[in-house]
Amino acid sequence: LQVFSNSPVKASSIIGTDVVNPNGDNLGDVKEVVIDPSTGRVAYVVVAFGGFLSMGEKLFAIPFSAFEYNVSENEYVLDITKERLEAAPGFDAD
């Protein structure tokens, strides 16, 4: 019997969830949940920032532990400014 410190969450319920910063600025949404096959743990989540209809968006791999979940708003909070994400190098979806 496995005991969890928090209730398990389906990856499908995380994907598509909005990501905001503590000021409430929209930073994008979660595109993927990436699992480390050797440990079975979440390695990171992929956040899509900017763009329109998936064109021109930047992708960022961010450790899941960097997020706080806001239950009342059903969103993940990431402590980073919009300007810092705009200036950061993302990665290509391919």
Side-chain angles (χ1 to χ4, degrees):
L1 177 66
Q2 185 172 4
V3 178
F4 296 99
S5 57
N6 293 308
S7 297
V9 178
K10 298 184 303 185
S12 61
S13 69
I14 296 171
I15 295 169
T17 304
D18 289 337
V19 177
V20 299
N21 66 17
N23 295 334
D25 299 325
N26 189 307
L27 300 178
D29 62 284
V30 177
K31 285 291 185 207
E32 287 289 344
V33 175
V34 181
I35 308 294
D36 178 343
S38 64
T39 64
R41 296 184 182 276
V42 174
Y44 55 89
V45 296
V46 176
V47 174
F49 170 77
F52 181 71
L53 297 176
S54 298
M55 296 180 58
E57 67 187 6
K58 290 177 16 176
L59 301 176
F60 297 94
I62 301 173
F64 196 49
S65 60
F67 296 89
E68 296 272 335
Y69 181 63
N70 180 340
V71 176
S72 64
E73 298 295 326
N74 185 34
E75 63 192 10
Y76 285 96
V77 180
L78 180 63
D79 193 8
I80 191 169
T81 65
K82 210 170 187 173
E83 293 75 23
R84 186 163 171 208
L85 267 189
E86 286 169 350
F91 67 88
D92 188 283
D94 297 329

